[in-house]
Amino acid sequence: GITSNSYYANEAANQVANEELVCDFISSLKSGTYSQDGEIVIGGTKVYTAGGTSTTGGQKFALTFFIIGTVGLAVYAAMLHSQLTKGGKADLSHQGGAM
């Protein structure tokens, strides 16, 4: 009935959308914009090496520095949190003041 017709219409629209994506992918491969692996091609070279990239020493250092820094800041935040919440149950009268 009506439900099956709308189902098939939806499937047809989905098929058309998928075909457009595939055609766009093929045209980007033909133009040399992207490689078959989805990597961006810079400079128009058509030579692809699988797994040919590696990290430099500077990248390794920066990654290690930021990981250690993040862990250090997390520990510092936990320490500050415990100091702030340690005496949180005192009434206002027990806190002292100028009055």
Side-chain angles (χ1 to χ4, degrees), residues 82-94:
S82 71
Q83 286 180 358
L84 288 173
T85 58
K86 195 181 292 185
K89 302 215 187 230
D91 291 337
L92 290 175
S93 62
H94 292 95

Side-chain angles (χ1 to χ4, degrees), residues 72-85:
L73 287 174
V75 169
Y76 183 63
M79 182 189 71
L80 287 177
H81 177 72
S82 71
Q83 286 180 358
L84 288 173
T85 58

Side-chain angles (χ1 to χ4, degrees), residues 18-32:
N18 284 336
E19 288 176 3
E20 288 176 0
L21 285 174
V22 170
C23 289
D24 289 343
F25 177 70
I26 291 173
S27 66
S28 70
L29 287 177
K30 287 174 109 179
S31 68

Side-chain angles (χ1 to χ4, degrees), residues 36-79:
Q36 292 177 354
D37 299 329
E39 298 288 327
I40 298 172
V41 176
I42 299 174
T45 59
K46 301 264 182 176
V47 178
Y48 309 117
T49 56
T53 60
S54 61
T55 56
T56 64
Q59 289 172 329
K60 290 177 185 176
F61 172 77
L63 184 61
T64 304
F65 175 78
F66 286 119
I67 288 173
I68 292 172
T70 302
V71 170
L73 287 174
V75 169
Y76 183 63
M79 182 189 71

